[in-house]
Amino acid sequence: MTAKAFASSADMADKRQTLDVLADGVYAFTAEGDPNAGAIEGEDFLVCFEALATPVAAGEWLARLREHTRKPVRYLVLSHYHAVRVLGASAFGADVVVAHDKTRELIAERGKEDWESEFGRMPRLFKEPDSIPGLTWPALTFSERLTIDLGGGRGDLVLWHCGRGHTEGDLVAWLPERRILFAGDLVEAQAALYTGDAFHRDWATGTLDRIAALGAETLVGGRGAVAQGREAVDAAVAQTRMFLEVMIREVGAVRDAGGTLKQAFEAVHERLAPRFGGWPIFEHCLPFDVSRLWDELSGVERPRIWTAARDREVWDLLQG
């Protein structure tokens, strides 16, 4: 049997990029399962959400955005620390880079290792990697909530830490007057979850409960299509919760029965593949997801650092 190519290393085909105008001055950038990004216009400035993997990749998104607005970027919001979300930050020329307190700590603790890990897993996303000037450091951080007055009658943009989930420091960006939510990787719409740095039990319960309680009518997840309408938003949250709950149940059952990590992976794969197997990055993510969850259920509170070498070891064990 032919071994599966490592992570997304064989996925080198360009994806169709789409800019959606969600409301006056509110934009979403999607690309067939690649990381999403967004922007919100203030009276005389922009707030951009996510930075993509390199300045060159970010420049493609900004070129599309500049077809609609020439306002300068005052705030660049990082939903979390992963390299494919942050290393393109220099392209924005933002006055202030904003993140959660824990995101800054994670960049300091494991940013270099994560950069090397994600470059190996997803080389196509790192367009012209030599354009990256170094690790991205937020200038403004907070622990719970930060409100940005957009001015000119545009209302507020609320940046909120809903709890531990995809990482320790995930942020969402919420436009309450317009009921639009940029959820980062806490919610995926028609894309598999990456949970290699996650807190699965917190995420599947309180964190998703807080997101659902917002009552968003438009949701931009970390990957996948924009969810339009309350029914589609609820479905995206429910799909995310189901993915987590199946993982927790199956890995827990194998571990409690004295089984192995490999058996846990096979049990989760069998349960999730019929529904999620055809969605972006499913096969890529699942070994790292199961490995982290096994650790979590074994009492390893904080995720172990992923390195390029550890990535290959886990892949060879579970997907080799």
Side-chain angles (χ1 to χ4, degrees), residues 182-296:
F182 291 86
D185 278 321
L186 287 172
V187 180
E188 308 291 11
Q190 300 176 22
L193 273 62
Y194 175 66
T195 73
D197 297 298
F199 296 80
H200 295 78
R201 291 168 292 190
D202 287 4
W203 187 359
T205 54
T207 300
L208 283 180
D209 289 346
R210 295 180 191 101
I211 289 173
L214 291 172
E217 296 175 3
T218 301
L219 182 146
V220 183
R223 294 174 183 261
V226 177
Q228 299 272 14
R230 186 61 185 273
E231 183 176 348
V233 171
D234 289 348
V237 174
Q239 167 231 301
T240 300
R241 195 189 303 269
M242 174 192 167
F243 195 106
L244 294 166
E245 290 176 344
V246 170
M247 286 183 60
I248 293 167
R249 183 178 69 246
E250 297 299 327
V251 173
V254 172
R255 184 183 173 279
D256 290 346
T260 66
L261 178 62
K262 176 71 169 178
Q263 289 169 333
F265 172 78
E266 291 169 347
V268 172
H269 193 285
E270 181 180 358
R271 293 292 185 183
L272 290 179
R275 177 167 178 179
F276 300 101
W279 287 10
I281 67 170
F282 175 79
E283 296 292 349
H284 166 168
C285 291
L286 204 62
F288 309 115
D289 295 355
V290 173
S291 179
R292 164 54 190 158
L293 180 53
W294 183 275
D295 279 356
E296 186 178 3

Side-chain angles (χ1 to χ4, degrees), residues 142-166:
F142 63 96
S143 61
E144 295 183 10
R145 193 174 304 199
L146 177 69
T147 300
I148 297 172
D149 180 0
L150 296 172
R154 293 177 177 270
D156 291 334
L157 175 67
V158 182
L159 306 179
W160 190 25
H161 176 61
C162 297
R164 300 190 304 182
H166 177 70

Side-chain angles (χ1 to χ4, degrees), residues 32-317:
E32 298 184 311
D34 279 357
N36 294 337
I40 302 99
E41 288 190 47
E43 182 177 15
D44 57 0
F45 64 91
L46 282 170
V47 181
C48 287
F49 188 76
E50 309 288 30
L52 302 182
T54 69
V56 171
E60 294 180 358
W61 149 229
L62 287 167
R64 299 289 298 274
L65 182 61
R66 290 313 182 194
E67 296 172 7
H68 298 267
T69 176
R70 305 299 299 180
K71 294 175 182 177
V73 180
R74 181 176 297 173
Y75 300 100
L76 172 62
V77 179
L78 309 177
S79 72
H80 61 284
Y81 83 98
H82 285 145
V84 295
R85 303 289 184 183
V86 305
L87 292 179
S90 62
F92 291 80
D95 294 336
V96 182
V97 178
V98 185
H100 190 268
D101 293 336
K102 287 294 183 182
T103 292
R104 196 182 203 288
E105 292 177 14
L106 288 165
I107 291 169
E109 178 188 45
R110 59 186 70 191
K112 182 176 183 295
E113 290 85 354
D114 184 73
W115 179 351
E116 294 171 352
S117 166
E118 296 208 347
F119 180 73
R121 294 185 194 181
M122 296 169 280
R124 179 179 52 78
L125 298 182
F126 287 81
K127 295 183 178 180
E128 298 187 32
D130 290 345
S131 67
I132 302 170
L135 293 174
T136 297
W137 295 100
L140 173 62
T141 66
F142 63 96
S143 61
E144 295 183 10
R145 193 174 304 199
L146 177 69
T147 300
I148 297 172
D149 180 0
L150 296 172
R154 293 177 177 270
D156 291 334
L157 175 67
V158 182
L159 306 179
W160 190 25
H161 176 61
C162 297
R164 300 190 304 182
H166 177 70
T167 71
E168 283 182 282
D170 299 280
L171 296 181
V172 302
W174 172 232
L175 289 162
E177 290 86 355
R178 302 191 187 195
R179 320 302 294 175
I180 298 173
L181 180 67
F182 291 86
D185 278 321
L186 287 172
V187 180
E188 308 291 11
Q190 300 176 22
L193 273 62
Y194 175 66
T195 73
D197 297 298
F199 296 80
H200 295 78
R201 291 168 292 190
D202 287 4
W203 187 359
T205 54
T207 300
L208 283 180
D209 289 346
R210 295 180 191 101
I211 289 173
L214 291 172
E217 296 175 3
T218 301
L219 182 146
V220 183
R223 294 174 183 261
V226 177
Q228 299 272 14
R230 186 61 185 273
E231 183 176 348
V233 171
D234 289 348
V237 174
Q239 167 231 301
T240 300
R241 195 189 303 269
M242 174 192 167
F243 195 106
L244 294 166
E245 290 176 344
V246 170
M247 286 183 60
I248 293 167
R249 183 178 69 246
E250 297 299 327
V251 173
V254 172
R255 184 183 173 279
D256 290 346
T260 66
L261 178 62
K262 176 71 169 178
Q263 289 169 333
F265 172 78
E266 291 169 347
V268 172
H269 193 285
E270 181 180 358
R271 293 292 185 183
L272 290 179
R275 177 167 178 179
F276 300 101
W279 287 10
I281 67 170
F282 175 79
E283 296 292 349
H284 166 168
C285 291
L286 204 62
F288 309 115
D289 295 355
V290 173
S291 179
R292 164 54 190 158
L293 180 53
W294 183 275
D295 279 356
E296 186 178 3
L297 296 179
S298 301
V300 180
E301 174 64 13
R302 297 189 69 251
R304 290 191 282 158
I305 296 173
W306 290 104
T307 65
R310 183 174 171 233
D311 287 353
R312 292 284 181 169
E313 290 172 3
V314 170
W315 185 268
D316 290 344
L317 175 63

